[in-house]
Amino acid sequence: MDSLSNDAYATMLNTYRNSIEDKYLPPIVAGHLTRVVGLTLEAKGCRAPVGGRCLVGNLSSHQGMEAEVVGFDEEKLYLMPIDRMQGVEPGEKVLPMSGIYKVQVGDNILGRVLDGRGNPLDRKGKLLTDQEIPLYGEEINPLRRARIDTPLDVGIRSINSLLSVGRGQRIGLFAGSGVGKSVLLGMMTRFTEAEVVVVGLIGERGREVKDFIENILGEEGLKRAVVIAVPADQTPIMRLHGPALATSIAEFFAAQGKNVLLLIDSLTRYAQAQREIGLAIGEPPTTKGYPPSVFAKLPALVERAGNGINGSGSITAFYTVLTEGDDQQDPIADSARAILDGHIVLSRYYAEMGHYPAIDVEASISRVMTDITNAQQQQMAKRFRRLLSVYQQNKDLISVGAYTQGSDAAIDEAIMMFPRLLHFLQQGINEAVDLPQSIQDLEVIMRAKS
């Protein structure tokens, strides 16, 4: 790029600023790139805060690439591109931009599919919105949040009856690959009693985005939903912005007094994006290659969901967590369990049996169930778990014929009830079972004598 004086460059940038209706930090001082390693850009000669935006490249032809400041070292700024980095040359100009990332919101975004910037992907025209809110919301005093005391009907029999979810709860879906987590998310999207559904598809295969929207979510489900799609080929910055964008949109609708269902698939990809950024700028790895910043980012995102101030709406959030090799002790899974209000584990064993949804009731828990259910339902759920656990503990003896009927009354009852328990836990992809029916079905099966 031809060298320009600061005055000439400032004039050119002011022209560019007017064309995109943005404002820059006064006075305008342009820096330049000194180094590019991987996806990390190093710049000198300009100042910008961490999280701020910079324009890099040939702005005179309106081809500037946007990047985010992710760190600094004395006079050097570390930047990560928001879009794919192509055509960057040595000595490119770098210009700090003022302001913070904002999200366009309004009732007209319902039924739309957006990218990590909030731009439409669905070819339905521009967003007709009249408000903007920050990408990263404001903290809420925990003492001002309403308590979780109302059950939420998610339309899944096993969850409604055995792992009851409360309005405003944050819960994780823990699963390996290929055990039906996306299908379960789609079922909850269609069946859950929520006025607005916000779905964040983060870091997944691009093919799955269209498949989820058309085959799993469906036309009716999309009408009350907003989908944020940031596939795996997007930059780490975009994969960080996707969940933050989805959460901001959920906060907007909750502030209107609406009950919102937020689904993020997946929390693991969000953590991996932050790992890529942290390692690229020299942050030391700690647990299995994850730097400390990852474990600070997770609660900062999750704590934005939940019940709002008394009288406002709520955000009930489900976050999928990928367990590599079905390892429940994966550092991200372990950290997520500690900060969420419960977890639902999907079992590969059940999935390979063709048992869907493949929920492992024994390994799952809802930490607010005792606050939103009555004593009768709690007792029935405990007995269900106990019968299932007794059978699984003695499964090998039973399968090889080594157990003699009559030796243990608890095992005898578990053997008798096991087929019914399995049938109760299974549910068709298009079959919705509401909360009252779920509890009634549980009561029927627990009262059965033979």
Side-chain angles (χ1 to χ4, degrees), residues 156-368:
I156 310 297
R157 178 168 47 227
S158 54
I159 297 178
N160 278 341
S161 57
L162 305 174
L163 302 164
S164 299
V165 175
R167 198 178 299 280
Q169 185 174 359
R170 290 87 49 97
I171 198 162
L173 290 178
F174 290 70
S177 58
V179 295
K181 67 179 185 309
S182 295
V183 174
L184 180 59
L185 281 179
M187 292 173 67
M188 287 191 292
T189 303
R190 298 195 307 272
F191 302 153
T192 299
E193 282 188 341
E195 297 165 87
V196 175
V197 179
V198 182
V199 182
L201 302 176
I202 311 301
E204 300 296 331
R205 293 179 288 271
R207 173 190 61 81
E208 292 183 335
V209 174
K210 188 173 183 178
D211 182 66
F212 181 90
I213 294 170
E214 295 184 357
N215 299 330
I216 298 178
L217 183 58
E219 185 177 350
E220 288 300 316
L222 185 59
K223 288 181 180 179
R224 60 172 181 150
V226 182
V227 178
I228 310 300
V230 186
D233 62 343
Q234 298 293 300
T235 62
I237 290 292
M238 290 293 282
R239 281 180 272 137
L240 277 186
H241 284 190
L245 173 62
T247 306
S248 292
I249 292 174
E251 288 173 332
F252 165 75
F253 286 108
Q256 296 180 345
K258 296 181 179 179
N259 296 312
V260 182
L261 176 66
L262 173 64
L263 306 173
I264 301 294
D265 184 15
S266 69
L267 196 63
T268 304
R269 304 301 188 200
Y270 175 80
Q272 289 174 346
Q274 178 60 29
R275 177 174 64 179
E276 292 178 40
I277 294 172
L279 295 179
I281 63 175
E283 191 177 354
T286 52
T287 307
K288 290 191 177 181
Y290 287 97
S293 61
V294 171
F295 303 101
K297 284 277 189 181
L298 290 177
L301 176 70
V302 169
E303 284 297 323
R304 294 173 61 186
N307 282 333
I309 299 172
N310 290 321
S312 65
S314 65
I315 302 175
T316 306
F318 284 83
Y319 302 91
T320 66
V321 180
L322 301 176
T323 51
E324 298 180 6
D326 298 325
D327 178 14
Q328 297 298 324
Q329 303 308 315
D330 176 85
I332 299 304
D334 198 45
S335 178
R337 265 194 302 270
I339 60 178
L340 294 171
D341 302 321
H343 53 271
I344 297 173
V345 178
L346 301 186
S347 165
R348 189 171 301 278
Y349 167 76
Y350 284 126
E352 290 174 348
M353 289 172 54
H355 174 121
Y356 292 102
I359 297 174
D360 185 348
V361 174
E362 295 176 85
S364 306
I365 188 172
S366 172
R367 292 189 174 122
V368 305

Side-chain angles (χ1 to χ4, degrees), residues 104-153:
Q104 296 183 28
V105 291
D107 292 336
N108 290 328
I109 66 175
L110 290 175
R112 302 301 300 268
V113 182
L114 312 177
D115 64 12
R117 289 175 174 269
N119 297 326
L121 289 174
D122 50 16
R123 299 182 180 180
K124 294 182 180 179
K126 293 183 178 180
L127 294 179
L128 302 177
T129 58
D130 54 2
Q131 296 184 54
E132 286 187 337
I133 60 175
L135 180 63
Y136 297 98
E138 298 180 358
E139 294 182 7
I140 297 179
N141 186 328
L143 297 181
R144 300 186 65 191
R145 286 188 183 272
R147 292 183 64 250
I148 300 174
D149 55 9
T150 305
L152 177 70
D153 186 356

